[in-house]
């Protein structure tokens, strides 16, 4: 998941990401994106940096519903183009080399993206550097058994993930003195095997994997966790 060539191919355009997001619409259980939004806004931040903003929905909502100044970056020029089209101050950039001053944002967001960075420890260091004292990083990732039932169906022992929720439990406290984990676990329900196949086909790392045709819906656990990490 953090091979730079695979990450570039995965997000060269929005098609694959949009297919996966659509599959999560209407999933059972708490809405992880709402839990994320609340974690970002609850302290009334003044300057927010979203790293790995994708298509920019969250940054756009933060700009619309809060008075914060919002900046977003992504390694994908196409994602930045889409985010800019929403009126966001979006820039091409990498989490490992943030082109911002020390302590320049009081809130930072890294949602479903730290498992993709080439140098995880360097990226965590950059997030801590750019965050202001007593500022908050909101990081989202999935547990190691995320979509376990789907992976079992395709006979794959899951995609290697360097930043599962279990890893975050260990890694974030090494950089941030206060870390709180808010789980938003539930179930994703694919109406049929074709829908599950569309999801699987959206992942470059699962190229060629086949969901065996079968009757009825396919249920797979979804294990997003929202981490609220605060700086001293
Ligand atoms: C799974 S998408 C998540 C997008 C968005 N945060 C969301 O929640 O919908 C991951 C995003 O992180 C970006 N990304 C991957 N590695 C990155 C890096 N090292 N620095 C900045 N962005 C990165 C990808 O281009 C992609 O847009």
């Amino acid at each position: 998941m953090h091979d730079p060539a695979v990450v570039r191919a995965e997000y060269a355009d929005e098609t694959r990401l949009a297919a996966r997001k659509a599959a999560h619409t209407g999933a059972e259980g708490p809405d992880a994106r709402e839990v994320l939004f609340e974690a970002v806004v609850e302290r009334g931040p003044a300057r927010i940096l979203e790293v790995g903003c994708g298509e920019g929905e969250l940054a756009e909502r933060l700009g619309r519903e809060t008075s914060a100044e919002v900046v977003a970056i992504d390694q994908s020029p196409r994602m930045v183009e889409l985010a800019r089209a929403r009126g966001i101050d979006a820039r091409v950039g990498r989490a490992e080399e943030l082109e911002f001053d020390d302590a320049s944002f009081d809130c930072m967001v890294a949602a479903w993206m730290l498992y993709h960075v080439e140098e995880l420890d360097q990226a965590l260091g950059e997030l801590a550097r750019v965050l202001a004292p007593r500022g908050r990083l909101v990081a989202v990732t999935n547990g190691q058994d995320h979509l376990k039932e789907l992976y079992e169906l395709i006979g794959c022992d899951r995609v290697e993930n360097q930043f599962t929720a279990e890893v975050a439990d260990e890694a974030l406290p090494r950089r941030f003195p206060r870390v709180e984990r808010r789980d938003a676990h539930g179930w994703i329900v694919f109406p049929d095997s074709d829908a599950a196949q569309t999801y699987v086909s959206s992942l470059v790392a699962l190229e060629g994997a086949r969901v065996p045709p079968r009757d009825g819906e396919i249920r797979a656990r979804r294990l997003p966790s929202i981490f609220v990490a605060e700086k001293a």
Side-chain angles (χ1 to χ4, degrees), residues 1-2 4 7-8 10-13 17 20-21 33 36 50-58 73-77 79-80 91-98 109-119 123 140:
M1 276 172 106
H2 61 280
V7 174
R8 275 196 300 276
E10 186 91 42
Y11 301 105
D13 67 46
L17 178 59
R20 291 199 294 281
K21 283 195 297 200
R33 291 190 181 275
L36 161 62
E50 184 179 9
V51 179
C53 63
E55 298 170 281
E57 297 102 320
L58 174 67
I73 69 160
D74 200 286
Q75 60 86 38
S76 158
M79 294 299 174
V80 168
R91 310 166 191 188
V92 176
R94 293 172 70 236
E96 296 93 322
E97 294 165 329
L98 295 177
V109 180
W112 291 283
M113 65 79 59
L114 284 167
Y115 41 59
H116 286 319
V117 302
E118 194 176 355
E119 301 289 343
V140 187

Side-chain angles (χ1 to χ4, degrees), residues 47-201:
R47 288 200 83 211
I48 303 170
L49 174 63
E50 184 179 9
V51 179
C53 63
E55 298 170 281
E57 297 102 320
L58 174 67
E60 181 187 23
R61 183 175 174 195
L62 288 167
R64 195 175 58 239
E65 296 186 25
T66 76
S67 56
E69 180 189 345
V70 182
V71 180
I73 69 160
D74 200 286
Q75 60 86 38
S76 158
R78 174 60 181 159
M79 294 299 174
V80 168
E81 183 182 315
L82 291 168
R84 280 192 185 150
R86 294 171 183 265
I88 298 161
D89 175 359
R91 310 166 191 188
V92 176
R94 293 172 70 236
E96 296 93 322
E97 294 165 329
L98 295 177
E99 292 179 359
F100 300 98
D101 292 339
D102 295 0
S104 49
F105 291 88
D106 58 349
C107 185
M108 305 192 45
V109 180
W112 291 283
M113 65 79 59
L114 284 167
Y115 41 59
H116 286 319
V117 302
E118 194 176 355
E119 301 289 343
L120 177 61
D121 202 51
Q122 194 178 321
L124 289 174
E126 280 293 86
L127 291 168
R129 177 184 68 77
V130 171
L131 192 60
R134 290 173 296 285
R136 167 176 285 202
L137 164 68
V138 184
V140 187
T141 190
N142 301 320
Q144 65 182 8
D145 284 336
H146 182 64
L147 303 183
K148 182 169 178 263
E149 293 76 10
L150 185 61
Y151 286 112
E152 284 172 357
L153 262 186
I154 59 173
C156 166
D157 186 23
R158 77 171 76 86
V159 178
E160 183 250 325
N161 180 344
Q162 66 173 349
F163 192 73
T164 59
E166 290 77 3
V167 171
D169 278 334
E170 303 283 324
L172 290 174
R174 288 200 287 271
R175 295 274 183 188
F176 301 90
R178 281 181 303 280
V179 180
E180 186 197 339
R181 172 175 163 173
R182 304 177 187 177
D183 291 337
H185 296 174
W187 291 85
I188 181 167
V189 183
F190 299 101
D192 51 37
S193 44
D194 285 349
Q197 182 64 58
T198 300
Y199 189 98
V200 167
S201 300

